[in-house]
Amino acid sequence: KRTAVKSVVSGILQQERIKASDYATAEQRRQLAKKLKESWKCRPICASVAVKCWQQYFFRVCADKDEAVQQVLKYMPHWCDESTPSSMVDSLTDHDWIISDVADA
């Protein structure tokens, strides 16, 4: 319950999105990497599963942590323990994701 309430409050305060401008330097991105990994430890809510999965994917496939954080900031700039599905959809369409209701066969 606590994580869900936190995500709703963060949505109202618009704190669920991570602002790339707040992480302009390599040191700031290093600190963000730590914060992201900490957020993955929280109990999951519906939106957090997708956020955590994509963020962890970037950390696994990128050459280093800095590149991974830059990819998170570009494609999945959300706190996995604070994002609601509606804010995530809004944000992802702003970050070049395409929402489709029909899968190609």
Side-chain angles (χ1 to χ4, degrees):
K1 285 184 178 179
R2 197 169 128 189
T3 303
V5 170
K6 183 179 176 183
S7 71
V8 171
V9 171
S10 293
I12 292 168
L13 300 174
Q14 296 186 350
Q15 295 175 335
E16 75 276 35
R17 295 183 189 186
I18 303 169
K19 296 178 183 131
S21 60
D22 292 343
Y23 301 95
T25 68
E27 177 58 27
Q28 290 170 324
R29 290 189 298 272
R30 189 179 69 74
Q31 292 299 319
L32 177 57
K34 288 181 183 180
K35 290 179 185 178
L36 288 170
K37 290 179 180 184
E38 281 298 312
S39 75
W40 299 342
K41 295 176 184 177
C42 293
R43 278 186 88 179
I45 55 173
C46 56
S48 67
V49 175
V51 173
K52 181 180 175 180
C53 180
W54 275 104
Q55 289 177 349
Q56 288 182 342
Y57 170 78
F58 291 130
F59 275 85
R60 287 192 178 126
V61 301
C62 291
D64 56 46
K65 285 182 186 177
D66 190 60
E67 180 186 0
V69 170
Q70 289 181 48
Q71 293 299 303
V72 166
L73 291 169
K74 184 174 181 179
Y75 295 109
M76 190 56 69
H78 278 266
W79 296 109
C80 85
D81 60 334
E82 297 182 16
S83 292
T84 60
S86 59
S87 70
M88 188 176 78
V89 169
D90 289 343
S91 174
L92 295 181
T93 55
D94 291 342
H95 288 87
D96 300 325
W97 287 71
I98 298 171
I99 308 300
S100 175
D101 60 355
V102 178
D104 292 332

